[in-house]
Every structure is written in structure tokens, then in C-alpha cells.
């Protein structure tokens, strides 16, 4: 699970939202620091961007890049740190910025915050190395030794909290080696290159480390793991709080797990840092010693500033790892015997987990973080062990949960052992239908999930499900007495997904009701990616994609949304990507379709003014998508220059394809699928072939599709899917179904037995009974779109009807209208790639009388 999504859940209960809009967190409140409320000094200016407040002297031009100073801070020191830096920098005319509120600093230091941003409470921009050294020395006298998280991207100055890193001061961007638009700095030759922000200190090769920093680098490099009695064999996981590693005790050969805690970082909602949580885990495991349901503690030590807990390695597999190979609904037609066998296995595992949790309770402890990743199933699959006890607490404290997996997160009225009982109830549902993250949006959804499980797994005892629903949905009244729920199950009044046009009209009303025309960062709520793609503009996650879906299904024109998109592309925000699904090319395509040709051509010109030829080959943000847009606009506008640029894109793609065909190892390292694989270039070759009838383009399309098919395998269920080595992918965006979409286009022009056979082998991937998410690019909606339009021989009406009906499994209510959750399913989404607009388009393709399409398909 991508832990960014949890942070974007904090500020809003229905949609993913930027953390800087959070009203407060825990008991810390939402007030700005007193320093942030100071009037701007005379001759200075201020600006707020994201979770930073910038202060800079009027008329003073910053260097574009250089050595910057970061200052770390804790909740206790942040206010006085900001005040001290303000007074120091204002007196000397040095630009700076700081995090202006306690809840924003908490988020930067929280457990799943980005490791590249951890600890950074203040940034100072010295004008040169002389001022850098002077500032470090003088601030050392003022705040040296104050506590704060270690800033992983930087070099620490003495004992902290001052750190330094060479990087960009001004916002500039370039295309990296993966074809992404990223923050940039100038190298020694004056060329823009990526400003890397990996969680490790590095000096760019064209930069000389100042002499006064060399002792700090030597001190940093002096701390190693070489003298420990353990070898570090593998890193299992990293978070802002530290890493988890498997290792071997050199003294006896015992396999162990080493868990790291970084002081002042990895904060839980109660403010406890990673070290405090690691101390809790050590105490809990010692209290549970001998029960056989938790690891035994072997060691506790400090290395540098970091603490380490050493535990026995628990043999077995995490419970979540069984689903890909065992869950019967992953087949198109689940075998009744497989369903029955799985039911018995799941009931047995749940009973074993209940027994383990009961054993923990017998020692007066609450586990507080039960979910499928924290349950290890023994090799004989008869017993289980629990891992990750950093949230465990004394049952007598009757406390609330402070960290949890979103699909098992207890509501605030559950305390003490009731937290574990809630998670056990969620596990009853998740073992059969692992979509309990929906309960974070609306717990009443549990009743609907239980109905689906009862229908798909007829041997699950009804009382087993009913008890789970009662436990999940019960609420506390004003006296604290637990009362039964009084609201009907979520979705009971919503239209059925097969009821067209009622479903269409409801989804359209919900999408429009969610619009926020007064905001600049986005129009429609969607995936978290919309906050990093230039302001919610794009086709995949922004306004353009929603407007495309609305137009495709014949909804009434949304002029306020078009006006919003026009305003926010005049000009577009700096750093907006260039591509079809992630950026300006896709926006131009939609605006041209809606009649705003002048703006569309302006955006295309801004794309062509960049080094677009260096982008990745793919459809999502690269040459294939841009080439398709150029080709389409050349046709609709008669602009021959755009046609020439489309042909240039095709030539570049043909050259790269030739290199891939000559170097199969290079080709194997690439990605596959419609959005990021060779299927995107194949689509461009096909559309140009349709204009020119040049048979060479048809051959290029065939070869591109063969490159993508080389990344696929036949799964045990009999479907051809993209092989990502640790999982196989059937989906429209990055899986085999997206390849089949382009195979359909190709095979309309030519016969090819090998490619036709591959297309037929992919079809079952679109017919599985279960998909983890509803979305268009990574879920069931994409399967509906493919089944609605495929030319694969056979009658697909029954499979299509089944997928249309099962899309309702994920349906939720937004203001009484049908809506769908986005990626990770912790919040609703209205965007095309992950949310309601994508589901709307897919259902339209299946049920509407008019053709409903994705661009170029």
C-alpha cells in the first residue's frame, strides 16, 4: 500500500485532500505559530505555498541554486526555532521559509511522510558559500544542539539541528532519464539535470564540497554497521520512522529481524516518535514472551542516534500474500470446490487469529494494529503469529488506536480490547472480500459487503457475517452505551450500475456536486496525483478527464468547468507535465473537442517549445501520447506543421523500438501495457497508418505489441497477464487488457495468428469475479470498457453483464448520488483514471446507445 494516501486522508472524510488544509491533528490544534502571525517586515514580501510560508526581501534576486540550510525541529522547539531564524535572517536580508503551523510540522514528521521531507522545519537560502559558513556558525551559537529529526537528504552540521544540501532555489524543471518532468538544477555545463532528493546525502559531481563541511562528512561516514554482531541481509520496509531488516546473528546463526527507530521522526497521532513506539513494542513483546503468538526479543542497542530492536524471525507467510494464488474469485468462473475449500481455509485462519488475539488479551495487552500484513501464517497453515507490536498497549488503559491499517481502523468510540474486536470483525469480511478500506468512508458499507460474500461464498455461516456487521456498524450514543445502527446500509437507495441512464444521471449529478470552481489546485476531487501534476488539470486525474467523460456520455455541457480549465491554463502552472494523460497535451485535446481551439493550440505550442523529444516513449506522459494529440489536431485544424511533429514523434519511437529489438535485455527492463509500455507507440503507428496506408507503420505496430507481449505470462487461472515478477497485472492501464485494446485496433487491419491467439488468451483476464478496485486504469471499470468493445471472437455479453453488476460492489453514496472510491479505496474520487468519471465512461461504453470511448480508442 502506498502510504502517501493515508496522509491525504487526514484533512477530509470523503475525498483525498492536501495535508496543508488540515484543520488540526489530535490535541495540537490548528492555530498558526505566533511567528507566522507576525506582520511582514518593511521591505520584505511573503508568500504561502503548500505547507511553507516564504519570506524574502523585496527586489532581491535569489541565486537559481546553491547550498541551502535546513533546520530540524520538534513540536516543542518549532515555535522558538522559527522565531530565532526569523530574527536572524530578517536582520541580515537572507531569504527563508518555514512550516507555519504545528499540525503541518507533525505531518512532515509523521510515520508515513516522505523520507525526503522529514524534519525540515525551516529552509534558509544563503547567497554564497561565505554566507553559508557564517550563517551556520552564527546559528550554531543560537540553536546548536536543539533536538530534531535527522534530515536524511542532508549533511548534519555538528550535532544539529542545522543541515546542508546543494540544490535548487528557484523552481526549474527538466525531463529525467525516465521521461518525467522533475525539479532541476544546472550542471557544470549549464544543462538542466534532475535535482535528486533521495533520502541520502550526495554532492553533485560538478560541485565541490566546501572545505569547512569536510569534517561533518567524515563524522557522518564514521558510523557503520560493521562492528555489530549481526549481518544485515535484506531491507524489508522503510518508513519515516526507520527501516525493518532481516539479518543473521553472527554468534549463533539465528535468523533475526532488526527494527530501527529514528528519534523525533515517524510520529504517531499521539505524538510518539519511532523510538517511543519501538520501546513500546519491546515492552509488549517481553510481556507476551512464551505465548508463542509473538516474536521473542533478542537484543536492544543504539547505533549513532538510532535505536534497534532485535527479534526472532517468524517463519511463515503474511496472510495478505495468500490471495493472489488462492482466492477463488480471481477466476472467471469460480470452481465450486475451490470456493468451498477456500471457505474452510479462511474460517480456520480466522479462528487461529482470534485465538492469538485472545492470548494477547490474556496478558492484559491490546494488539491495536491487527490487519492481514501483521498476521504470519505458519508453514503448516494451522497456526498464526502476530507481528508489529509498536501500537500495543495495556488493556487497563482503555486507550484509543494511534496507528492502524485503513481497512481495519477502529472508529473513535472503540477503546481497549474493543479495538481488536473491531479489527477481527473486519477480518471476517476481508478474508473473503478484501475491500474493507471502504469502511473508512462509510462503515455502513459492511452490510452490503456481507451480502456480496454470502452470495459468492454460500458455505460461509450467515451468523459469522452478521456478527461482523453488527460489530463494525454499532455506534455509541451520548451516554456511551452501544446502540445498533439506525441508518440503512450504504448504497441501498442508489441506482443499480446496470440501470442506465439512471446510474449515468446519478453519477453526473454527484460529479458536478463535488466541483469546487473557487479552488485553484483542483476542480474535481480525485487521486492524490492531481496535486502534483500542475493543479488538477490533466486527463488522468484532473478536470480535463472528467469533462471528457461527461461529454462522452452525453451529459449537459458543464460550462463553469470549461471556464475553470480555461482560466487555469492562461498560463498553466509552472512544472505542469507535457503528456496526454498527465499534462498539457491531454488538456489541449479536450479543450479542442469542446470548441476552445485557440487555447488548445496555445497549449500545444507550449509543449513543442519544451524538449518533448526526450520524453519517454509511452502513452501516459510521453511521445506516443503527444504524437497522437499532434496528429489529431493536425487533422482537425489543417495545421501541416503539427502533422510533421507527429511524424517526428513516430520516427523517434521507431528508432527506440529498433534499439529495443536489437537489445532484448534492455527491452525486458522496460514496462508493458497501454499507458507505460509499447502498446502506446503501437497505437500511434496505427493511427498514422490509417491516415497514410504506409505498410511500414503497420509492421511497427506489430513489433511494438510483440515487445509488450514478451512481458506477459499465462497465469494458473489461464489468462495472459503482464508479469511484474512479484505479481501479474490484468488491468487496462498497466496490464494485459490494455494491450488487448490495441490488439483489437491492429487486428481490424491485418490478420496475424500469433497476435490473435494472444488477444484471446488475454480475454479471461477481463472476466475475473474479483478485482481489488473499481477504477478504469487499475480496476473493474477497465474490464467493462474492454469487454464492451473487444472484437475477440465469441459472445461476451454474459461476462460483460457480470462485470457491470459487480461494479456495484464498490458503489458509495455522495450527497445521495452514486459515486466510487479512488485508488487505495480510502476516499471517493471523481477523476477519470481512478474514480467516478472512469466508471461513468466504462458503463457508458457498455450500456449507452452511442459510442463512448477513451481518446484514440
Amino acid at each position: 500500500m502506498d502510504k502517501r494516501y493515508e496522509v491525504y486522508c487526514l484533512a477530509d472524510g470523503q475525498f483525498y485532500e492536501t495535508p496543508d488544509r488540515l484543520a488540526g491533528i489530535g490535541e495540537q490544534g490548528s492555530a498558526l505559530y505566533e511567528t507566522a502571525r507576525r506582520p511582514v517586515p518593511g521591505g520584505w514580501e511573503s508568500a504561502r505555498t503548500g505547507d511553507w510560508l516564504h519570506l524574502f526581501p523585496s527586489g532581491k534576486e535569489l541565486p537559481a541554486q546553491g547550498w541551502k540550510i535546513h533546520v530540524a525541529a520538534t513540536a516543542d522547539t518549532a515555535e522558538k526555532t522559527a522565531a530565532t531564524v526569523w530574527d536572524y535572517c530578517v536582520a541580515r536580508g537572507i531569504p527563508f521559509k518555514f512550516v507555519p503551523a504545528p499540525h503541518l510540522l507533525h505531518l512532515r514528521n509523521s510515520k508515513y511522510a516522505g523520507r525526503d521531507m522529514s524534519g525540515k522545519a525551516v529552509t534558509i537560502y544563503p547567497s554564497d558559500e561565505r554566507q553559508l559558513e557564517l550563517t551556520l556558525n552564527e546559528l550554531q551559537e543560537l540553536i546548536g544542539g536543539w533536538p530534531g529529526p535527522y534530515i536524511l537528504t542532508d549533511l548534519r552540521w555538528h550535532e544539529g539541528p542545522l543541515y546542508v544540501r546543494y540544490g535548487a532555489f528557484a523552481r526549474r524543471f527538466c525531463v529525467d532519464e525516465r521521461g518525467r518532468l522533475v525539479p532541476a538544477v544546472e550542471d557544470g555545463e549549464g544543462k538542466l539535470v534532475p535535482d535528486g532528493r533521495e533520502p541520502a546525502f550526495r554532492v553533485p559531481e560538478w560541485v565541490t564540497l566546501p572545505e569547512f563541511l569536510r569534517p561533518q562528512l567524515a563524522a557522518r561516514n564514521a558510523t557503520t554497521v560493521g562492528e555489530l554482531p549481526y549481518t544485515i541481509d535484506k531491507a524489508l520496509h522503510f518508513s519515516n520512522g526507520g527501516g525493518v531488516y532481516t539479518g543473521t546473528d553472527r554468534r549463533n546463526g539465528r535468523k533475526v529481524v532488526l527494527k530501527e527507530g529514528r528519534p523525533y521522526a515517524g510520529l504517531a497521532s499521539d505524538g510518539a516518535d519511532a523510538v517511543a513506539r519501538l520501546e513500546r513494542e519491546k515492552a509488549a513483546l517481553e510481556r507476551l514472551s512464551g505465548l508463542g503468538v509473538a516474536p521473542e526479543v533478542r537484543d536492544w542497542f543504539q547505533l549513532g542516534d538510532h535505536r534497534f530492536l532485535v527479534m526472532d524471525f517468524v517463519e511463515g507467510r503474511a496472510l495478505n500474500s495468500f490471495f493472489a494464488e488462492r482466492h477463488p474469485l480471481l477466476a472467471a468462473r469460480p470452481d465450486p470446490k475451490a470456493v468451498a475449500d477456500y471457505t474452510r481455509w479462511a474460517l480456520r485462519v480466522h479462528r487461529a487469529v482470534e485465538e492469538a488475539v485472545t492470548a494477547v488479551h490474556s496478558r492484559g495487552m491490546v494488539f491495536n494494529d491487527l490487519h492481514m500484513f501483521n498476521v504470519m501464517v505458519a508453514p503448516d497453515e494451522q497456526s498464526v503469529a502476530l507481528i508489529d507490536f509498536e501500537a500495543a498497549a495495556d488493556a487497563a488503559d482503555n486507550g484509543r488506536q494511534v496507528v492502524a491499517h485503513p481497512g481495519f481502523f477502529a472508529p473513535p468510540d472503540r477503546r481497549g480490547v474493543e479495538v481488536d474486536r473491531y479489527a477481527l470483525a473486519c477480518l471476517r469480511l476481508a478474508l473473503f472480500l478484501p475491500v474493507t478500506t471502504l469502511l473508512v468512508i462509510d462503515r455502513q458499507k459492511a452490510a452490503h459487503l456481507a451480502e456480496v460474500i454470502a452470495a459468492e461464498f454460500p458455505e460461509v455461516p450467515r451468523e459469522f457475517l452478521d456478527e461482523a456487521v453488527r460489530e463494525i456498524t454499532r455506534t455509541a450514543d451520548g451516554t456511551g452505551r452501544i446502540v445498533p445502527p439506525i441508518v440503512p446500509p450504504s448504497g441501498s437507495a442508489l441506482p443499480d450500475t446496470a440501470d442506465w441512464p439512471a446510474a449515468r444521471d446519478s453519477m453526473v449529478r454527484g460529479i458536478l456536486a463535488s466541483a469546487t470552481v473557487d479552488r485553484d489546485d483542483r476542480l474535481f476531487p480525485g487521486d492524490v496525483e492531481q496535486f502534483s501534476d500542475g493543479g488538477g488539470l490533466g486527463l488522468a486525474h484532473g478536470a480535463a478527464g472528467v469533462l471528457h467523460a461527461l461529454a462522452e456520455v452525453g451529459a449537459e455541457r458543464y460550462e463553469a468547468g470549461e471556464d475553470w480549465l480555461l482560466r487555469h491554463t492562461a498560463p498553466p502552472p509552472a512544472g505542469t507535465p507535457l503528456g496526454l494523460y498527465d499534462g498539457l497535451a491531454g488538456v489541449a485535446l479536450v479543450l479542442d473537442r469542446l470548441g476552445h481551439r485557440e487555447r488548445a493550440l496555445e497549449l500545444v505550442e507550449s509543449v513543442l517549445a519544451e524538449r518533448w523529444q526526450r520524453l519517454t516513449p509511452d502513452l501516459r506522459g510521453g511521445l506516443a501520447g503527444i504524437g497522437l494529440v499532434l496528429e489529431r489536431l493536425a487533422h482537425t485544424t489543417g495545421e501541416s506543421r503539427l502533422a510533421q511533429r507527429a511524424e517526428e514523434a513516430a520516427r523517434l519511437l521507431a528508432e527506440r523500438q529498433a534499439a529495443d529489438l536489437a537489445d532484448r535485455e534492455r527491452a525486458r527492463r522496460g514496462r508493458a501495457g497501454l499507458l507505460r509500455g509499447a502498446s502506446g507507440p503501437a497505437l500511434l503507428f496505427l493511427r498514422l497508418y490509417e491516415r497514410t496506408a504506409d505498410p511500414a507503420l503497420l509492421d511497427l505496430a506489430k513489433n511494438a505489441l510483440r515487445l509488450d507481449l514478451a512481458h506477459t505470462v499465462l497465469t494458473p487461472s489461464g489468462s495472459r497477464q503482464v508479469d511484474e515478477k512479484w505479481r501479474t497485472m490484468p488491468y487496462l492501464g498497466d496490464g494485459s487488457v490494455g494491450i488487448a485494446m490495441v490488439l483489437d485496433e491492429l487486428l481490424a487491419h491485418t490478420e496475424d495468428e500469433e497476435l490473435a491467439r494472444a488477444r484471446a488468451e488475454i480475454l479471461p483476464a477481463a472476466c475475473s469475479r474479483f478485482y481489488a478496485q473499481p477504477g478504469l486504469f487499475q480496476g473493474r471499470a477497465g474490464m467493462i470498457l474492454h469487454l464492451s468493445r473487444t472484437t475477440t471472437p465469441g459472445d461476451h455479453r454474459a461476462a460483460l453483464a457480470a462485470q457491470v453488476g459487480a461494479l456495484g460492489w464498490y458503489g458509495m453514496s455522495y450527497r445521495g448520488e452514486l459515486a466510487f472510491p479512488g485508488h487505495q479505496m480510502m476516499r471517493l474520487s471523481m477523476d477519470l483514471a481512478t474514480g467516478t468519471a472512469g466508471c461513468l465512461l466504462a458503463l457508458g461504453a457498455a450500456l449507452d446507445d452511442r459510442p463512448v470511448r477513451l481518446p484514440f480508442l
Side-chain angles (χ1 to χ4, degrees):
M1 175 173 286
D2 186 337
K3 295 297 183 181
R4 292 179 304 160
Y5 285 82
E6 294 187 34
V7 175
Y8 281 85
C9 286
L10 295 172
D12 189 277
Q14 290 184 302
F15 299 114
Y16 294 121
E17 185 56 272
T18 52
D20 59 296
R21 288 180 174 264
L22 185 67
I25 188 164
E27 303 300 322
Q28 300 177 51
S30 61
L32 294 174
Y33 293 126
E34 182 180 343
T35 307
R37 297 196 297 272
R38 290 182 182 181
V40 178
W44 283 69
E45 298 177 47
S46 70
R48 178 76 185 271
T49 59
D51 56 0
W52 290 109
L53 178 60
H54 300 250
L55 275 294
F56 46 94
S58 300
K60 180 172 182 178
E61 188 172 341
L62 270 175
Q65 61 196 55
W67 288 96
K68 63 181 75 174
I69 299 171
H70 287 123
V71 188
T74 67
D76 293 332
T77 65
E79 173 69 273
K80 59 182 179 180
T81 297
T84 301
V85 171
W86 176 299
D87 293 340
Y88 178 87
C89 288
V90 168
R92 292 160 180 80
I94 304 173
F96 67 100
K97 65 182 180 182
F98 66 99
V99 178
H103 68 277
L104 298 177
L105 183 67
H106 180 101
L107 289 174
R108 281 189 158 260
N109 294 333
S110 64
K111 182 176 181 181
Y112 293 116
R115 298 167 71 218
D116 60 333
M117 61 191 271
S118 175
K120 298 174 182 177
V122 180
T123 306
I124 303 169
Y125 299 97
S127 58
D128 52 32
E129 290 184 9
R130 184 190 64 79
Q131 190 173 68
L132 170 72
E133 182 178 15
L134 180 64
T135 301
L136 286 169
N137 283 319
E138 291 183 344
L139 281 178
Q140 175 70 20
E141 294 296 318
L142 296 173
I143 63 175
W146 289 11
Y150 195 106
I151 298 176
L152 298 172
T153 58
D154 289 28
L155 178 64
R156 185 165 68 178
W157 179 254
H158 297 298
E159 71 275 24
L162 299 166
Y163 294 77
V164 296
R165 183 180 84 86
Y166 189 93
F169 289 8
R171 282 172 57 83
R172 296 191 290 178
F173 300 88
C174 70
V175 178
D176 70 5
E177 68 279 359
R178 296 177 61 187
R180 303 168 304 177
L181 205 64
V182 297
V185 291
E186 242 177 60
D187 67 9
E189 299 176 351
K191 183 176 70 174
L192 287 178
V193 297
D195 182 14
R197 300 179 185 186
E198 300 82 8
F201 175 69
R202 292 184 176 87
V203 181
E205 59 184 21
W206 68 89
V207 174
T208 301
L209 184 74
E211 193 63 34
F212 60 87
L213 293 178
R214 292 190 180 280
Q216 318 307 321
L217 182 61
R220 177 185 181 277
N221 294 338
T223 300
T224 69
V225 298
E227 296 182 7
L228 292 179
Y230 307 99
T231 60
I232 305 297
D233 300 328
K234 181 181 178 182
L236 298 177
H237 170 69
F238 286 106
S239 75
N240 196 16
V244 181
Y245 315 88
T246 57
T248 304
D249 191 326
R250 293 193 184 105
R251 297 163 297 190
N252 53 28
R254 176 185 286 125
K255 196 170 182 180
V256 295
V257 170
L258 299 92
K259 193 168 184 179
E260 176 186 23
R262 297 178 55 223
Y264 312 114
L267 304 181
S269 61
D270 63 351
D273 70 0
V275 173
R277 290 187 286 104
L278 204 59
E279 289 171 340
R280 291 176 185 173
E281 181 160 17
K282 176 177 178 288
L285 292 178
E286 289 173 341
R287 191 164 167 179
L288 299 172
S289 179
L291 275 180
V293 298
E296 296 289 337
V297 174
R298 296 299 172 186
D299 201 356
W300 173 262
F301 65 88
Q302 181 170 337
L303 181 65
D305 295 332
H306 298 193
R307 308 297 196 280
F308 286 82
L309 173 64
V310 184
M311 303 166 280
D312 281 342
F313 178 85
V314 177
E315 297 290 346
R317 293 170 56 189
L319 179 54
N320 68 291
S321 70
F322 286 87
F323 290 88
E325 66 185 48
R326 187 166 294 186
H327 201 284
L329 299 192
L330 296 178
R333 296 180 180 84
D335 175 26
K337 182 179 183 304
V339 172
D341 289 345
Y342 180 85
T343 299
R344 285 190 291 273
W345 177 85
L347 293 173
R348 184 175 73 242
V349 167
H350 190 274
R351 186 164 56 249
V353 175
E354 279 188 316
E355 291 169 355
V357 171
T358 299
V360 171
H361 293 174
S362 73
R363 293 281 176 93
M365 298 293 295
V366 181
F367 186 26
N368 262 340
D369 195 17
L370 176 66
H371 58 81
M372 288 189 285
F373 290 80
N374 282 352
V375 175
M376 297 295 292
V377 180
D380 63 5
E381 299 185 13
Q382 299 299 311
S383 62
V384 303
L386 306 177
I387 60 172
D388 198 356
F389 279 79
E390 65 179 38
D394 194 309
D397 293 340
N398 203 36
R400 286 173 53 180
Q401 209 166 17
V402 293
V403 294
H405 184 284
F408 296 78
F409 191 32
D413 62 339
R414 310 303 167 88
R415 293 177 175 271
V417 295
E418 287 185 343
V419 171
D420 287 348
R421 293 187 184 124
Y422 180 89
L424 284 167
C426 291
L427 185 62
R428 292 191 182 203
L429 303 184
L431 280 165
F432 297 96
L433 207 60
V435 295
T436 53
T437 48
L438 294 175
L439 305 180
V440 179
I441 306 171
D442 183 357
R443 279 189 288 147
Q444 302 304 319
K445 186 69 176 176
H448 183 202
L449 299 183
E451 293 297 329
V452 174
I453 293 168
E456 301 293 328
F457 296 88
E459 294 186 30
V460 177
R462 187 68 215 206
E463 185 57 24
F464 180 85
L465 299 173
D466 290 344
E467 287 176 358
V469 172
R470 285 194 294 271
E471 177 60 41
I472 291 167
T473 59
R474 66 189 176 95
T475 58
D477 65 9
T479 64
R481 180 174 57 86
I482 300 299
V483 298
I486 57 173
V487 293
S490 175
S492 61
L494 300 175
D496 189 278
T497 45
D499 184 5
W500 193 266
R504 177 197 64 191
D505 295 344
S506 183
M507 284 188 279
V508 169
R509 288 192 297 268
I511 288 170
L512 297 182
S514 75
T516 51
V517 293
D518 57 329
R519 286 180 59 160
D520 291 324
D521 57 339
R522 57 104 160 136
L523 174 58
F524 299 104
D527 191 74
V528 303
E529 290 293 338
Q530 71 177 197
F531 298 115
S532 61
D533 76 348
L537 304 177
L539 197 56
H541 303 299
V546 178
L547 293 176
H548 172 80
L550 293 174
E552 282 290 305
V553 300
E556 184 177 347
R557 192 157 179 168
Y558 182 43
E559 293 185 2
E562 294 177 33
D563 290 343
W564 186 95
L565 193 54
L566 289 168
R567 288 198 313 275
H568 289 81
T569 53
T576 303
L578 307 178
L580 170 60
Y581 277 102
D582 68 348
L584 297 181
V587 177
L589 180 74
V590 172
L591 286 176
D592 183 65
R593 180 210 175 131
L594 296 173
H596 306 290
R597 180 155 295 167
E598 183 177 351
R599 177 58 51 77
L601 290 174
E602 289 173 2
L603 293 178
V604 166
E605 289 302 325
S606 69
V607 171
L608 295 176
E610 300 290 340
R611 297 179 181 179
W612 60 274
Q613 297 94 336
R614 297 178 56 194
L615 292 170
T616 51
D618 61 53
L619 185 71
R620 182 182 184 275
L623 289 175
I626 289 174
L628 283 162
V629 173
L630 292 170
E631 193 276 336
R632 173 68 59 81
L633 291 180
H635 177 69
T636 59
T637 66
E639 291 271 357
S640 60
R641 191 172 64 87
L642 298 183
Q644 292 167 2
R645 297 285 76 78
E647 292 166 3
E648 181 183 359
R651 284 197 302 274
L652 292 169
L653 289 169
E655 291 169 5
R656 296 190 192 185
Q657 183 182 108
D660 285 340
L661 290 170
D663 185 351
R664 292 290 182 172
E665 182 58 37
R666 167 179 151 164
R668 276 194 292 271
R669 290 196 297 269
R671 299 184 68 167
L674 178 66
L675 292 184
R676 293 181 172 88
S679 294
L683 188 57
L684 175 59
F685 296 141
L686 281 170
R687 294 298 172 245
L688 289 175
Y689 168 77
E690 290 167 351
R691 296 266 190 250
T692 67
D694 181 353
L697 289 165
L698 204 57
D699 289 338
L700 285 168
K702 286 183 180 181
N703 288 334
L705 286 163
R706 288 191 173 98
L707 283 171
D708 257 6
L709 288 169
H711 288 268
T712 65
V713 294
L714 278 172
T715 66
S717 65
S719 66
R720 182 166 293 280
Q721 300 185 23
V722 171
D723 182 13
E724 293 191 343
K725 305 309 177 188
W726 63 285
R727 63 180 179 179
T728 59
M729 294 286 278
Y731 298 117
L732 175 64
D734 296 309
S736 56
V737 163
I739 301 173
M741 295 272 282
V742 185
L743 282 169
D744 279 331
E745 302 290 334
L746 174 76
L747 293 170
H749 296 290
T750 184
E751 294 183 359
D752 187 298
E753 184 178 344
E754 176 193 358
L755 295 179
R757 182 170 59 252
R759 177 179 63 170
E761 290 170 344
I762 292 171
L763 186 70
C767 302
S768 293
R769 195 69 187 125
F770 175 75
Y771 299 96
Q773 301 186 118
L776 186 63
F777 287 158
Q778 287 187 286
R780 194 182 295 272
M783 309 310 176
I784 293 171
L785 181 64
H786 179 52
L787 290 171
S788 71
R789 65 181 296 282
T790 186
T791 54
T792 307
D795 185 351
H796 315 305
R797 287 175 296 181
L800 177 58
Q803 297 293 29
V804 167
L807 187 63
W809 295 1
Y810 320 87
M812 309 288 287
S813 176
Y814 173 67
R815 297 190 180 180
E817 306 295 352
L818 178 61
F820 289 89
H823 195 53
Q824 304 287 338
M825 296 203 304
M826 290 184 277
R827 291 294 185 268
L828 300 178
S829 168
M830 297 300 177
D831 72 25
L832 181 72
T834 71
T836 306
C839 294
L840 173 67
L841 184 137
L843 289 174
L847 303 173
D848 204 285
D849 293 334
R850 82 197 79 208
V852 176
R853 304 182 181 97
L854 274 177
F856 309 110
L857 283 165

